[in-house]
Structure formats: structure tokens, C-alpha cells
Amino acid sequence: MHKPGRLIGLGVGPGDPELITVKALRLLRESPVVAYFVAKGKKGNAFGIIEAHLQAAQNLLPLVYPVTTEALPAPLSYEQVISDFYDDAATELATHLDAGRDVAVICEGDPFFYGSYMYLHDRLAERYQAEVVPGVCSMLGGASVLGAPLVYRNQSLSVLSGVLPHDELKRRLADADAAVIMKLGRNFPKVRQVLEELGLAERALYVERATMANQKIVPLDQVEPMSSPYFSLIIVPGERWQG
């Protein structure tokens, strides 16, 4: 009986292909099966990062999201549809793992920082050997391109989701030394309003698709309210310390 394959979660960085780690690149090239998440009809950002490094003999396994941000008709729920999708994807990967083939699941940014890989890890890591290779996450890529140190000395950093309700987001930001706000998209108008109410708008920095070829840095007050993409974030740096 052959040995099961390994499940490998590969963080491939925030977008710039040169930010993939040496270890991730080695394991990518060694893996007979490469799985990647992608929206319908698209190639996917993560795939674009690693495409030039793929070998002809590798088996490519696209995991196509059945839904992304669009509204679903009743009685369908996003949570159930996406949970079923991860169940099916885990089953598909298990077929390769049971056959003794290593499967590298590539993940933009870091696999365990809002990464889709983690949902496969939760379903498979207790049954198969799993290895996770960290990657440069989007908030660090964003801080770099914005030239914005995140936290000084004893400051604490809060990572917040723009999906939070207005009052909850405001409460958490009010208590933060520094913050990164992820998952903007349609939540951008609410997030900007909260920053303005707290007097943080002038300190806040906005970037779309940090480190990617189509990166865009825009002053917060000039962002079109409904144009903010999913791959955008806001950084509120800690107060500068003149040490």
C-alpha cells in the first residue's frame, strides 16, 4: 500500500511574483498536483503569480468558486453554498492524496491570514500530513508600498474586517493604536464614514491591489465610494515615534 500524499499550503505573496519565498517556489515545482482557487471565467491572481514557474508535467486543479460577492436568491445562503464547495474541493484533493500524490494548494498572501486554503486545511489536516509555507500577506505588502511603518515600540496593531457593523467597527478603531482594515469593496463608504467620525481620515492610507502590476494608491477622500475592489485595504499607522 502506497503512502498518502502531502497536503501543502503555499503562500505565494500579495501579488508581486518576486515576493514568493524560496521554499514556496521549491515545493511548488516539486508538487505533481497544483490546486488553486479561482472565480468563474477568470485566471486568478494567485495563479498569475506562479504561472511562469509551473512544469509541463504538473496536474493543474482549478477550484472554481460557485459564488463570490453576488447576492443569492432565497432559499440559498452564501454560507451553505460556500461550505458545500469547500467540502467538494476537499474530497477532490483527497482523491489525489489517497493516490500518493502531493497536492500544493496555492494561496495569495498567507494561507492562514484570510486565506481560502485554511478551509481545506481544517477538513484534511487531521487525515493527511500537512505542511504550510507562510507568505507575505497583503497588509505587509500594503504597508511597504505606502511607505507606512505600522506600529512603533509598544503599540498594538488591530486587523479589522470592513464587514463589521458601523458601531462595532467604530468601537474597535477608537481603541486601536494602529489598524489595518481589510475586506473593503462595498463596505468602503461605511469604513470611510467611521474614520471621518473618529478624526482618523487624514491619517488613513488607502491602496488597491498592493504590489500587483495594477496597484493603485489613492488619497482616501478621492476614492469613488462604490469603486473600491475586494483587493483593497486601509492602513491607519501608529503615531510616529521620534526615537
Side-chain angles (χ1 to χ4, degrees), residues 149-224:
L150 287 172
V151 281
Y152 294 84
R153 289 176 57 79
N154 300 322
Q155 294 172 346
S156 297
L157 175 68
S158 296
V159 180
L160 303 173
S161 169
V163 178
L164 287 170
H166 175 281
D167 291 348
E168 179 66 11
L169 180 62
K170 187 173 183 178
R171 181 186 69 79
R172 296 195 188 195
L173 274 172
D175 292 337
D177 295 326
V180 177
I181 308 170
M182 316 281 295
K183 299 181 181 291
L184 295 179
R186 68 183 68 175
N187 299 294
F188 175 81
K190 172 189 63 184
V191 173
R192 180 163 61 183
Q193 180 183 351
V194 169
L195 290 167
E196 290 171 347
E197 291 172 0
L198 291 171
L200 294 173
E202 290 189 4
R203 210 168 104 205
L205 303 170
Y206 173 90
V207 61
E208 299 176 2
R209 303 180 180 91
T211 81
M212 300 183 194
N214 55 348
Q215 168 187 296
K216 188 177 180 182
I217 297 173
V218 185
L220 189 69
D221 61 357
Q222 295 180 24
V223 178
E224 290 294 329

Side-chain angles (χ1 to χ4, degrees), residues 5 10 33 35 56 64 68 94-95 127 154 179:
L10 293 184
V33 181
V64 183
T68 50
T95 301
R127 295 159 48 197
N154 300 322

Side-chain angles (χ1 to χ4, degrees), residues 79-160:
E79 287 75 14
Q80 188 58 57
V81 169
I82 206 70
S83 179
D84 290 345
F85 162 68
Y86 287 127
D87 286 344
D88 292 342
T91 299
E92 189 170 8
L93 264 61
T95 301
H96 291 282
L97 295 169
D98 288 337
R101 294 185 287 271
D102 291 347
V103 179
V105 182
I106 62 172
C107 187
E108 190 169 0
D110 182 272
F112 283 168
F113 186 75
Y114 290 123
S116 293
Y117 164 79
M118 69 177 72
Y119 304 109
L120 299 179
H121 186 92
D122 288 346
R123 288 164 169 79
L124 295 170
E126 292 183 358
R127 295 159 48 197
Y128 303 96
Q129 180 184 352
E131 180 174 359
V132 178
V133 180
V136 178
C137 61
S138 58
M139 71 173 184
L140 298 180
S144 296
V145 301
L146 289 166
L150 287 172
V151 281
Y152 294 84
R153 289 176 57 79
N154 300 322
Q155 294 172 346
S156 297
L157 175 68
S158 296
V159 180
L160 303 173

